[in-house]
PDB file of all heavy atoms in Angstrom:
ATOM      1  N   LEU C  16       0.822  -1.207   0.000  1.00  0.00           N
ATOM      2  CA  LEU C  16       0.000   0.000   0.000  1.00  0.00           C
ATOM      3  C   LEU C  16       0.858   1.260   0.000  1.00  0.00           C
ATOM      4  O   LEU C  16       0.606   2.195  -0.772  1.00  0.00           O
ATOM      5  CB  LEU C  16      -0.933   0.012   1.204  1.00  0.00           C
ATOM      6  CG  LEU C  16      -1.779   1.281   1.387  1.00  0.00           C
ATOM      7  CD1 LEU C  16      -2.683   1.497   0.186  1.00  0.00           C
ATOM      8  CD2 LEU C  16      -2.583   1.215   2.683  1.00  0.00           C
ATOM      9  N   THR C  17       1.872   1.314   0.853  1.00  0.00           N
ATOM     10  CA  THR C  17       2.736   2.492   0.909  1.00  0.00           C
ATOM     11  C   THR C  17       3.533   2.646  -0.385  1.00  0.00           C
ATOM     12  O   THR C  17       3.801   3.769  -0.832  1.00  0.00           O
ATOM     13  CB  THR C  17       3.693   2.415   2.111  1.00  0.00           C
ATOM     14  OG1 THR C  17       4.485   1.219   2.016  1.00  0.00           O
ATOM     15  CG2 THR C  17       2.918   2.395   3.419  1.00  0.00           C
ATOM     16  N   ILE C  18       3.908   1.519  -1.002  1.00  0.00           N
ATOM     17  CA  ILE C  18       4.610   1.582  -2.288  1.00  0.00           C
ATOM     18  C   ILE C  18       3.707   2.215  -3.342  1.00  0.00           C
ATOM     19  O   ILE C  18       4.115   3.103  -4.088  1.00  0.00           O
ATOM     20  CB  ILE C  18       5.061   0.182  -2.741  1.00  0.00           C
ATOM     21  CG1 ILE C  18       6.093  -0.398  -1.772  1.00  0.00           C
ATOM     22  CG2 ILE C  18       5.653   0.247  -4.152  1.00  0.00           C
ATOM     23  CD1 ILE C  18       6.488  -1.834  -2.094  1.00  0.00           C
ATOM     24  N   VAL C  19       2.451   1.756  -3.382  1.00  0.00           N
ATOM     25  CA  VAL C  19       1.497   2.289  -4.363  1.00  0.00           C
ATOM     26  C   VAL C  19       1.279   3.778  -4.138  1.00  0.00           C
ATOM     27  O   VAL C  19       1.285   4.573  -5.097  1.00  0.00           O
ATOM     28  CB  VAL C  19       0.159   1.531  -4.263  1.00  0.00           C
ATOM     29  CG1 VAL C  19      -0.928   2.249  -5.062  1.00  0.00           C
ATOM     30  CG2 VAL C  19       0.323   0.099  -4.765  1.00  0.00           C
ATOM     31  N   LEU C  20       1.107   4.186  -2.893  1.00  0.00           N
ATOM     32  CA  LEU C  20       0.844   5.595  -2.597  1.00  0.00           C
ATOM     33  C   LEU C  20       2.008   6.482  -3.032  1.00  0.00           C
ATOM     34  O   LEU C  20       1.812   7.514  -3.692  1.00  0.00           O
ATOM     35  CB  LEU C  20       0.574   5.778  -1.101  1.00  0.00           C
ATOM     36  CG  LEU C  20      -0.734   5.196  -0.575  1.00  0.00           C
ATOM     37  CD1 LEU C  20      -0.807   5.329   0.941  1.00  0.00           C
ATOM     38  CD2 LEU C  20      -1.933   5.887  -1.220  1.00  0.00           C
ATOM     39  N   MET C  21       3.235   6.095  -2.681  1.00  0.00           N
ATOM     40  CA  MET C  21       4.380   6.942  -2.991  1.00  0.00           C
ATOM     41  C   MET C  21       4.747   6.908  -4.473  1.00  0.00           C
ATOM     42  O   MET C  21       5.197   7.905  -5.036  1.00  0.00           O
ATOM     43  CB  MET C  21       5.583   6.541  -2.134  1.00  0.00           C
ATOM     44  CG  MET C  21       5.414   6.841  -0.651  1.00  0.00           C
ATOM     45  SD  MET C  21       4.941   8.556  -0.323  1.00  0.00           S
ATOM     46  CE  MET C  21       6.340   9.444  -0.996  1.00  0.00           C
ATOM     47  N   GLN C  22       4.553   5.757  -5.124  1.00  0.00           N
ATOM     48  CA  GLN C  22       4.807   5.716  -6.561  1.00  0.00           C
ATOM     49  C   GLN C  22       3.782   6.561  -7.313  1.00  0.00           C
ATOM     50  O   GLN C  22       4.110   7.195  -8.325  1.00  0.00           O
ATOM     51  CB  GLN C  22       4.781   4.277  -7.074  1.00  0.00           C
ATOM     52  CG  GLN C  22       6.022   3.485  -6.741  1.00  0.00           C
ATOM     53  CD  GLN C  22       6.161   2.232  -7.585  1.00  0.00           C
ATOM     54  OE1 GLN C  22       5.412   2.020  -8.541  1.00  0.00           O
ATOM     55  NE2 GLN C  22       7.112   1.399  -7.247  1.00  0.00           N
ATOM     56  N   THR C  23       2.556   6.585  -6.812  1.00  0.00           N
ATOM     57  CA  THR C  23       1.537   7.428  -7.439  1.00  0.00           C
ATOM     58  C   THR C  23       1.906   8.899  -7.305  1.00  0.00           C
ATOM     59  O   THR C  23       1.661   9.698  -8.224  1.00  0.00           O
ATOM     60  CB  THR C  23       0.164   7.169  -6.801  1.00  0.00           C
ATOM     61  OG1 THR C  23      -0.175   5.785  -6.947  1.00  0.00           O
ATOM     62  CG2 THR C  23      -0.918   8.021  -7.455  1.00  0.00           C
ATOM     63  N   VAL C  24       2.503   9.266  -6.181  1.00  0.00           N
ATOM     64  CA  VAL C  24       2.907  10.653  -5.953  1.00  0.00           C
ATOM     65  C   VAL C  24       3.860  11.128  -7.056  1.00  0.00           C
ATOM     66  O   VAL C  24       3.765  12.268  -7.521  1.00  0.00           O
ATOM     67  CB  VAL C  24       3.576  10.800  -4.565  1.00  0.00           C
ATOM     68  CG1 VAL C  24       4.282  12.144  -4.436  1.00  0.00           C
ATOM     69  CG2 VAL C  24       2.529  10.660  -3.467  1.00  0.00           C
ATOM     70  N   VAL C  25       4.768  10.259  -7.488  1.00  0.00           N
ATOM     71  CA  VAL C  25       5.768  10.677  -8.473  1.00  0.00           C
ATOM     72  C   VAL C  25       5.365  10.330  -9.904  1.00  0.00           C
ATOM     73  O   VAL C  25       6.034  10.757 -10.849  1.00  0.00           O
ATOM     74  CB  VAL C  25       7.145  10.034  -8.169  1.00  0.00           C
ATOM     75  CG1 VAL C  25       7.656  10.478  -6.816  1.00  0.00           C
ATOM     76  CG2 VAL C  25       7.061   8.513  -8.217  1.00  0.00           C
ATOM     77  N   THR C  26       4.276   9.569 -10.072  1.00  0.00           N
ATOM     78  CA  THR C  26       3.883   9.128 -11.407  1.00  0.00           C
ATOM     79  C   THR C  26       2.728   9.936 -11.977  1.00  0.00           C
ATOM     80  O   THR C  26       2.755  10.342 -13.146  1.00  0.00           O
ATOM     81  CB  THR C  26       3.495   7.635 -11.387  1.00  0.00           C
ATOM     82  OG1 THR C  26       4.604   6.867 -10.927  1.00  0.00           O
ATOM     83  CG2 THR C  26       3.104   7.161 -12.781  1.00  0.00           C
ATOM     84  N   PHE C  27       1.703  10.208 -11.163  1.00  0.00           N
ATOM     85  CA  PHE C  27       0.523  10.854 -11.724  1.00  0.00           C
ATOM     86  C   PHE C  27       0.787  12.288 -12.206  1.00  0.00           C
ATOM     87  O   PHE C  27       0.101  12.740 -13.142  1.00  0.00           O
ATOM     88  CB  PHE C  27      -0.647  10.785 -10.736  1.00  0.00           C
ATOM     89  CG  PHE C  27      -1.003  12.062 -10.049  1.00  0.00           C
ATOM     90  CD1 PHE C  27      -1.878  12.959 -10.652  1.00  0.00           C
ATOM     91  CD2 PHE C  27      -0.483  12.378  -8.807  1.00  0.00           C
ATOM     92  CE1 PHE C  27      -2.235  14.137 -10.020  1.00  0.00           C
ATOM     93  CE2 PHE C  27      -0.829  13.550  -8.175  1.00  0.00           C
ATOM     94  CZ  PHE C  27      -1.704  14.439  -8.790  1.00  0.00           C
ATOM     95  N   PRO C  28       1.755  13.055 -11.654  1.00  0.00           N
ATOM     96  CA  PRO C  28       2.037  14.373 -12.255  1.00  0.00           C
ATOM     97  C   PRO C  28       2.503  14.270 -13.701  1.00  0.00           C
ATOM     98  O   PRO C  28       2.140  15.110 -14.532  1.00  0.00           O
ATOM     99  CB  PRO C  28       3.126  14.944 -11.346  1.00  0.00           C
ATOM    100  CG  PRO C  28       2.915  14.266 -10.035  1.00  0.00           C
ATOM    101  CD  PRO C  28       2.493  12.878 -10.386  1.00  0.00           C
ATOM    102  N   LEU C  29       3.306  13.241 -14.001  1.00  0.00           N
ATOM    103  CA  LEU C  29       3.748  13.041 -15.387  1.00  0.00           C
ATOM    104  C   LEU C  29       2.558  12.717 -16.280  1.00  0.00           C
ATOM    105  O   LEU C  29       2.432  13.247 -17.396  1.00  0.00           O
ATOM    106  CB  LEU C  29       4.784  11.922 -15.451  1.00  0.00           C
ATOM    107  CG  LEU C  29       5.239  11.505 -16.852  1.00  0.00           C
ATOM    108  CD1 LEU C  29       5.909  12.669 -17.561  1.00  0.00           C
ATOM    109  CD2 LEU C  29       6.179  10.311 -16.785  1.00  0.00           C
ATOM    110  N   VAL C  30       1.668  11.857 -15.786  1.00  0.00           N
ATOM    111  CA  VAL C  30       0.459  11.519 -16.538  1.00  0.00           C
ATOM    112  C   VAL C  30      -0.391  12.775 -16.762  1.00  0.00           C
ATOM    113  O   VAL C  30      -0.946  12.984 -17.846  1.00  0.00           O
ATOM    114  CB  VAL C  30      -0.346  10.437 -15.802  1.00  0.00           C
ATOM    115  CG1 VAL C  30      -1.673  10.179 -16.500  1.00  0.00           C
ATOM    116  CG2 VAL C  30       0.461   9.146 -15.714  1.00  0.00           C
ATOM    117  N   THR C  31      -0.483  13.598 -15.733  1.00  0.00           N
ATOM    118  CA  THR C  31      -1.258  14.840 -15.850  1.00  0.00           C
ATOM    119  C   THR C  31      -0.714  15.727 -16.964  1.00  0.00           C
ATOM    120  O   THR C  31      -1.475  16.266 -17.773  1.00  0.00           O
ATOM    121  CB  THR C  31      -1.230  15.610 -14.517  1.00  0.00           C
ATOM    122  OG1 THR C  31      -1.835  14.813 -13.492  1.00  0.00           O
ATOM    123  CG2 THR C  31      -1.982  16.930 -14.625  1.00  0.00           C
ATOM    124  N   LEU C  32       0.596  15.883 -17.025  1.00  0.00           N
ATOM    125  CA  LEU C  32       1.206  16.734 -18.052  1.00  0.00           C
ATOM    126  C   LEU C  32       0.977  16.182 -19.457  1.00  0.00           C
ATOM    127  O   LEU C  32       0.720  16.934 -20.399  1.00  0.00           O
ATOM    128  CB  LEU C  32       2.700  16.894 -17.780  1.00  0.00           C
ATOM    129  CG  LEU C  32       3.077  17.644 -16.500  1.00  0.00           C
ATOM    130  CD1 LEU C  32       4.589  17.709 -16.347  1.00  0.00           C
ATOM    131  CD2 LEU C  32       2.483  19.039 -16.489  1.00  0.00           C
ATOM    132  N   VAL C  33       1.078  14.847 -19.591  1.00  0.00           N
ATOM    133  CA  VAL C  33       0.859  14.237 -20.901  1.00  0.00           C
ATOM    134  C   VAL C  33      -0.584  14.438 -21.355  1.00  0.00           C
ATOM    135  O   VAL C  33      -0.846  14.826 -22.502  1.00  0.00           O
ATOM    136  CB  VAL C  33       1.200  12.732 -20.855  1.00  0.00           C
ATOM    137  CG1 VAL C  33       0.805  12.060 -22.167  1.00  0.00           C
ATOM    138  CG2 VAL C  33       2.688  12.525 -20.599  1.00  0.00           C
ATOM    139  N   LEU C  34      -1.537  14.201 -20.445  1.00  0.00           N
ATOM    140  CA  LEU C  34      -2.944  14.343 -20.808  1.00  0.00           C
ATOM    141  C   LEU C  34      -3.328  15.811 -20.980  1.00  0.00           C
ATOM    142  O   LEU C  34      -4.168  16.143 -21.828  1.00  0.00           O
ATOM    143  CB  LEU C  34      -3.823  13.686 -19.747  1.00  0.00           C
ATOM    144  CG  LEU C  34      -3.690  12.154 -19.662  1.00  0.00           C
ATOM    145  CD1 LEU C  34      -4.575  11.597 -18.568  1.00  0.00           C
ATOM    146  CD2 LEU C  34      -4.041  11.511 -20.995  1.00  0.00           C
ATOM    147  N   TYR C  35      -2.721  16.672 -20.189  1.00  0.00           N
ATOM    148  CA  TYR C  35      -2.991  18.110 -20.337  1.00  0.00           C
ATOM    149  C   TYR C  35      -2.580  18.596 -21.715  1.00  0.00           C
ATOM    150  O   TYR C  35      -3.289  19.400 -22.348  1.00  0.00           O
ATOM    151  CB  TYR C  35      -2.251  18.890 -19.250  1.00  0.00           C
ATOM    152  CG  TYR C  35      -2.239  20.386 -19.481  1.00  0.00           C
ATOM    153  CD1 TYR C  35      -3.356  21.167 -19.185  1.00  0.00           C
ATOM    154  CD2 TYR C  35      -1.112  21.015 -20.012  1.00  0.00           C
ATOM    155  CE1 TYR C  35      -3.351  22.540 -19.407  1.00  0.00           C
ATOM    156  CE2 TYR C  35      -1.103  22.372 -20.237  1.00  0.00           C
ATOM    157  CZ  TYR C  35      -2.215  23.142 -19.933  1.00  0.00           C
ATOM    158  OH  TYR C  35      -2.211  24.483 -20.159  1.00  0.00           O
ATOM    159  N   SER C  36      -1.448  18.106 -22.196  1.00  0.00           N
ATOM    160  CA  SER C  36      -0.974  18.524 -23.521  1.00  0.00           C
ATOM    161  C   SER C  36      -1.948  18.091 -24.615  1.00  0.00           C
ATOM    162  O   SER C  36      -2.059  18.747 -25.654  1.00  0.00           O
ATOM    163  CB  SER C  36       0.411  17.944 -23.802  1.00  0.00           C
ATOM    164  OG  SER C  36       0.358  16.527 -23.865  1.00  0.00           O
ATOM    165  N   GLY C  37      -2.668  16.967 -24.384  1.00  0.00           N
ATOM    166  CA  GLY C  37      -3.673  16.551 -25.347  1.00  0.00           C
ATOM    167  C   GLY C  37      -4.977  17.304 -25.185  1.00  0.00           C
ATOM    168  O   GLY C  37      -5.659  17.615 -26.168  1.00  0.00           O
ATOM    169  N   LEU C  38      -5.318  17.620 -23.930  1.00  0.00           N
ATOM    170  CA  LEU C  38      -6.584  18.306 -23.662  1.00  0.00           C
ATOM    171  C   LEU C  38      -6.553  19.766 -24.065  1.00  0.00           C
ATOM    172  O   LEU C  38      -7.569  20.325 -24.490  1.00  0.00           O
ATOM    173  CB  LEU C  38      -6.913  18.197 -22.166  1.00  0.00           C
ATOM    174  CG  LEU C  38      -7.451  16.848 -21.688  1.00  0.00           C
ATOM    175  CD1 LEU C  38      -7.284  16.711 -20.187  1.00  0.00           C
ATOM    176  CD2 LEU C  38      -8.915  16.703 -22.068  1.00  0.00           C
ATOM    177  N   VAL C  39      -5.410  20.415 -23.922  1.00  0.00           N
ATOM    178  CA  VAL C  39      -5.333  21.850 -24.179  1.00  0.00           C
ATOM    179  C   VAL C  39      -5.580  22.170 -25.660  1.00  0.00           C
ATOM    180  O   VAL C  39      -5.955  23.292 -26.004  1.00  0.00           O
ATOM    181  CB  VAL C  39      -3.961  22.400 -23.718  1.00  0.00           C
ATOM    182  CG1 VAL C  39      -2.862  22.013 -24.698  1.00  0.00           C
ATOM    183  CG2 VAL C  39      -4.020  23.903 -23.527  1.00  0.00           C
ATOM    184  N   GLY C  40      -5.407  21.174 -26.521  1.00  0.00           N
ATOM    185  CA  GLY C  40      -5.633  21.399 -27.937  1.00  0.00           C
ATOM    186  C   GLY C  40      -7.061  21.142 -28.384  1.00  0.00           C
ATOM    187  O   GLY C  40      -7.406  21.396 -29.545  1.00  0.00           O
ATOM    188  N   LEU C  41      -7.902  20.637 -27.472  1.00  0.00           N
ATOM    189  CA  LEU C  41      -9.297  20.377 -27.826  1.00  0.00           C
ATOM    190  C   LEU C  41     -10.123  21.654 -27.708  1.00  0.00           C
ATOM    191  O   LEU C  41      -9.942  22.435 -26.779  1.00  0.00           O
ATOM    192  CB  LEU C  41      -9.880  19.291 -26.906  1.00  0.00           C
ATOM    193  CG  LEU C  41      -9.141  17.949 -26.898  1.00  0.00           C
ATOM    194  CD1 LEU C  41      -9.877  16.961 -26.009  1.00  0.00           C
ATOM    195  CD2 LEU C  41      -9.008  17.398 -28.308  1.00  0.00           C
ATOM    196  N   GLU C  42     -11.025  21.832 -28.619  1.00  0.00           N
ATOM    197  CA  GLU C  42     -11.833  23.040 -28.666  1.00  0.00           C
ATOM    198  C   GLU C  42     -12.972  22.966 -27.644  1.00  0.00           C
ATOM    199  O   GLU C  42     -13.839  22.094 -27.738  1.00  0.00           O
ATOM    200  CB  GLU C  42     -12.409  23.219 -30.065  1.00  0.00           C
ATOM    201  CG  GLU C  42     -13.231  24.471 -30.235  1.00  0.00           C
ATOM    202  CD  GLU C  42     -12.462  25.723 -29.865  1.00  0.00           C
ATOM    203  OE1 GLU C  42     -11.376  25.934 -30.426  1.00  0.00           O
ATOM    204  OE2 GLU C  42     -12.957  26.476 -29.004  1.00  0.00           O
ATOM    205  N   PRO C  43     -12.986  23.860 -26.637  1.00  0.00           N
ATOM    206  CA  PRO C  43     -14.065  23.838 -25.640  1.00  0.00           C
ATOM    207  C   PRO C  43     -15.446  24.046 -26.243  1.00  0.00           C
ATOM    208  O   PRO C  43     -16.449  23.599 -25.682  1.00  0.00           O
ATOM    209  CB  PRO C  43     -13.697  25.001 -24.706  1.00  0.00           C
ATOM    210  CG  PRO C  43     -12.233  25.214 -24.898  1.00  0.00           C
ATOM    211  CD  PRO C  43     -11.976  24.871 -26.334  1.00  0.00           C
ATOM    212  N   ALA C  44     -15.538  24.715 -27.395  1.00  0.00           N
ATOM    213  CA  ALA C  44     -16.835  24.975 -28.019  1.00  0.00           C
ATOM    214  C   ALA C  44     -17.547  23.679 -28.388  1.00  0.00           C
ATOM    215  O   ALA C  44     -18.785  23.613 -28.371  1.00  0.00           O
ATOM    216  CB  ALA C  44     -16.650  25.844 -29.261  1.00  0.00           C
ATOM    217  N   VAL C  45     -16.771  22.638 -28.715  1.00  0.00           N
ATOM    218  CA  VAL C  45     -17.378  21.349 -29.048  1.00  0.00           C
ATOM    219  C   VAL C  45     -18.082  20.766 -27.825  1.00  0.00           C
ATOM    220  O   VAL C  45     -19.199  20.237 -27.925  1.00  0.00           O
ATOM    221  CB  VAL C  45     -16.314  20.372 -29.584  1.00  0.00           C
ATOM    222  CG1 VAL C  45     -16.911  18.995 -29.846  1.00  0.00           C
ATOM    223  CG2 VAL C  45     -15.670  20.928 -30.842  1.00  0.00           C
ATOM    224  N   GLU C  46     -17.441  20.895 -26.659  1.00  0.00           N
ATOM    225  CA  GLU C  46     -18.060  20.404 -25.427  1.00  0.00           C
ATOM    226  C   GLU C  46     -19.296  21.225 -25.072  1.00  0.00           C
ATOM    227  O   GLU C  46     -20.318  20.681 -24.636  1.00  0.00           O
ATOM    228  CB  GLU C  46     -17.035  20.457 -24.291  1.00  0.00           C
ATOM    229  CG  GLU C  46     -15.785  19.618 -24.553  1.00  0.00           C
ATOM    230  CD  GLU C  46     -14.704  19.860 -23.521  1.00  0.00           C
ATOM    231  OE1 GLU C  46     -15.057  20.063 -22.342  1.00  0.00           O
ATOM    232  OE2 GLU C  46     -13.517  19.852 -23.896  1.00  0.00           O
ATOM    233  N   GLU C  47     -19.216  22.524 -25.273  1.00  0.00           N
ATOM    234  CA  GLU C  47     -20.367  23.386 -24.996  1.00  0.00           C
ATOM    235  C   GLU C  47     -21.536  23.045 -25.914  1.00  0.00           C
ATOM    236  O   GLU C  47     -22.697  23.050 -25.489  1.00  0.00           O
ATOM    237  CB  GLU C  47     -19.965  24.850 -25.168  1.00  0.00           C
ATOM    238  CG  GLU C  47     -18.922  25.317 -24.161  1.00  0.00           C
ATOM    239  CD  GLU C  47     -18.384  26.702 -24.487  1.00  0.00           C
ATOM    240  OE1 GLU C  47     -18.863  27.288 -25.482  1.00  0.00           O
ATOM    241  OE2 GLU C  47     -17.485  27.183 -23.764  1.00  0.00           O
ATOM    242  N   ALA C  48     -21.222  22.707 -27.159  1.00  0.00           N
ATOM    243  CA  ALA C  48     -22.283  22.307 -28.100  1.00  0.00           C
ATOM    244  C   ALA C  48     -22.946  21.011 -27.637  1.00  0.00           C
ATOM    245  O   ALA C  48     -24.171  20.854 -27.727  1.00  0.00           O
ATOM    246  CB  ALA C  48     -21.703  22.137 -29.497  1.00  0.00           C
ATOM    247  N   GLY C  49     -22.137  20.081 -27.134  1.00  0.00           N
ATOM    248  CA  GLY C  49     -22.687  18.834 -26.626  1.00  0.00           C
ATOM    249  C   GLY C  49     -23.620  19.063 -25.451  1.00  0.00           C
ATOM    250  O   GLY C  49     -24.680  18.440 -25.346  1.00  0.00           O
ATOM    251  N   LEU C  50     -23.242  19.977 -24.574  1.00  0.00           N
ATOM    252  CA  LEU C  50     -24.098  20.306 -23.422  1.00  0.00           C
ATOM    253  C   LEU C  50     -25.384  20.986 -23.895  1.00  0.00           C
ATOM    254  O   LEU C  50     -26.471  20.708 -23.352  1.00  0.00           O
ATOM    255  CB  LEU C  50     -23.334  21.200 -22.447  1.00  0.00           C
ATOM    256  CG  LEU C  50     -22.128  20.569 -21.743  1.00  0.00           C
ATOM    257  CD1 LEU C  50     -21.371  21.620 -20.930  1.00  0.00           C
ATOM    258  CD2 LEU C  50     -22.565  19.431 -20.827  1.00  0.00           C
ATOM    259  N   ASP C  51     -25.257  21.866 -24.878  1.00  0.00           N
ATOM    260  CA  ASP C  51     -26.440  22.555 -25.399  1.00  0.00           C
ATOM    261  C   ASP C  51     -27.419  21.584 -26.050  1.00  0.00           C
ATOM    262  O   ASP C  51     -28.636  21.815 -26.066  1.00  0.00           O
ATOM    263  CB  ASP C  51     -26.029  23.623 -26.411  1.00  0.00           C
ATOM    264  CG  ASP C  51     -25.307  24.790 -25.744  1.00  0.00           C
ATOM    265  OD1 ASP C  51     -25.470  24.947 -24.516  1.00  0.00           O
ATOM    266  OD2 ASP C  51     -24.576  25.506 -26.443  1.00  0.00           O
ATOM    267  N   LEU C  52     -26.896  20.475 -26.597  1.00  0.00           N
ATOM    268  CA  LEU C  52     -27.752  19.494 -27.262  1.00  0.00           C
ATOM    269  C   LEU C  52     -28.334  18.477 -26.287  1.00  0.00           C
ATOM    270  O   LEU C  52     -28.953  17.498 -26.712  1.00  0.00           O
ATOM    271  CB  LEU C  52     -26.954  18.771 -28.352  1.00  0.00           C
ATOM    272  CG  LEU C  52     -26.564  19.649 -29.555  1.00  0.00           C
ATOM    273  CD1 LEU C  52     -25.638  18.902 -30.496  1.00  0.00           C
ATOM    274  CD2 LEU C  52     -27.806  20.120 -30.299  1.00  0.00           C
ATOM    275  N   GLY C  53     -28.125  18.692 -24.988  1.00  0.00           N
ATOM    276  CA  GLY C  53     -28.784  17.858 -23.992  1.00  0.00           C
ATOM    277  C   GLY C  53     -27.921  16.802 -23.336  1.00  0.00           C
ATOM    278  O   GLY C  53     -28.409  16.051 -22.485  1.00  0.00           O
ATOM    279  N   SER C  54     -26.643  16.718 -23.691  1.00  0.00           N
ATOM    280  CA  SER C  54     -25.780  15.725 -23.066  1.00  0.00           C
ATOM    281  C   SER C  54     -25.347  16.192 -21.681  1.00  0.00           C
ATOM    282  O   SER C  54     -25.248  17.390 -21.415  1.00  0.00           O
ATOM    283  CB  SER C  54     -24.545  15.478 -23.939  1.00  0.00           C
ATOM    284  OG  SER C  54     -23.670  14.551 -23.324  1.00  0.00           O
ATOM    285  N   SER C  55     -25.097  15.235 -20.807  1.00  0.00           N
ATOM    286  CA  SER C  55     -24.576  15.561 -19.481  1.00  0.00           C
ATOM    287  C   SER C  55     -23.077  15.802 -19.574  1.00  0.00           C
ATOM    288  O   SER C  55     -22.443  15.504 -20.591  1.00  0.00           O
ATOM    289  CB  SER C  55     -24.854  14.426 -18.505  1.00  0.00           C
ATOM    290  OG  SER C  55     -24.157  13.251 -18.894  1.00  0.00           O
ATOM    291  N   GLN C  56     -22.486  16.323 -18.488  1.00  0.00           N
ATOM    292  CA  GLN C  56     -21.042  16.549 -18.464  1.00  0.00           C
ATOM    293  C   GLN C  56     -20.285  15.232 -18.611  1.00  0.00           C
ATOM    294  O   GLN C  56     -19.261  15.156 -19.293  1.00  0.00           O
ATOM    295  CB  GLN C  56     -20.644  17.239 -17.158  1.00  0.00           C
ATOM    296  CG  GLN C  56     -19.192  17.690 -17.111  1.00  0.00           C
ATOM    297  CD  GLN C  56     -18.920  18.835 -18.072  1.00  0.00           C
ATOM    298  OE1 GLN C  56     -19.614  19.830 -18.074  1.00  0.00           O
ATOM    299  NE2 GLN C  56     -17.908  18.679 -18.914  1.00  0.00           N
ATOM    300  N   VAL C  57     -20.812  14.173 -17.962  1.00  0.00           N
ATOM    301  CA  VAL C  57     -20.190  12.851 -18.085  1.00  0.00           C
ATOM    302  C   VAL C  57     -20.298  12.348 -19.519  1.00  0.00           C
ATOM    303  O   VAL C  57     -19.355  11.762 -20.064  1.00  0.00           O
ATOM    304  CB  VAL C  57     -20.847  11.853 -17.105  1.00  0.00           C
ATOM    305  CG1 VAL C  57     -20.282  10.449 -17.324  1.00  0.00           C
ATOM    306  CG2 VAL C  57     -20.622  12.295 -15.669  1.00  0.00           C
ATOM    307  N   GLY C  58     -21.455  12.576 -20.139  1.00  0.00           N
ATOM    308  CA  GLY C  58     -21.628  12.151 -21.522  1.00  0.00           C
ATOM    309  C   GLY C  58     -20.679  12.859 -22.465  1.00  0.00           C
ATOM    310  O   GLY C  58     -20.136  12.252 -23.395  1.00  0.00           O
ATOM    311  N   VAL C  59     -20.474  14.153 -22.239  1.00  0.00           N
ATOM    312  CA  VAL C  59     -19.525  14.910 -23.053  1.00  0.00           C
ATOM    313  C   VAL C  59     -18.121  14.343 -22.891  1.00  0.00           C
ATOM    314  O   VAL C  59     -17.374  14.187 -23.869  1.00  0.00           O
ATOM    315  CB  VAL C  59     -19.555  16.404 -22.663  1.00  0.00           C
ATOM    316  CG1 VAL C  59     -18.377  17.146 -23.288  1.00  0.00           C
ATOM    317  CG2 VAL C  59     -20.868  17.034 -23.101  1.00  0.00           C
ATOM    318  N   LEU C  60     -17.763  14.020 -21.653  1.00  0.00           N
ATOM    319  CA  LEU C  60     -16.426  13.478 -21.383  1.00  0.00           C
ATOM    320  C   LEU C  60     -16.231  12.139 -22.095  1.00  0.00           C
ATOM    321  O   LEU C  60     -15.194  11.893 -22.707  1.00  0.00           O
ATOM    322  CB  LEU C  60     -16.219  13.320 -19.881  1.00  0.00           C
ATOM    323  CG  LEU C  60     -14.865  12.770 -19.429  1.00  0.00           C
ATOM    324  CD1 LEU C  60     -13.743  13.730 -19.796  1.00  0.00           C
ATOM    325  CD2 LEU C  60     -14.858  12.521 -17.925  1.00  0.00           C
TER     326      LEU C  60
END
C-alpha cells in the first residue's frame, strides 16, 4: 500500500502533463455544443 501511494505521488504528475498537452488542444466549443444538445457533463467526457 505504501509503495502504491508513494509511486503514485511521483507518477501521476507526469500523466497529468501528458494528458494536459492533449486536452489543451481540444476546442471547448465542441463540449459546450454537446451540453447545449442535452448531453450531461459525463456524456460529453
Side-chain angles (χ1 to χ4, degrees):
L16 175 61
T17 58
I18 296 175
V19 168
L20 291 174
M21 292 308 299
Q22 284 197 9
T23 302
V24 167
V25 298
T26 301
F27 107 86
L29 174 62
V30 174
T31 298
L32 295 179
V33 173
L34 293 179
Y35 168 78
S36 64
L38 284 161
V39 75
L41 303 183
E42 182 56 55
V45 176
E46 300 171 36
E47 295 171 2
L50 294 173
D51 291 340
L52 292 173
S54 178
S55 64
Q56 188 69 51
V57 175
V59 168
L60 180 64

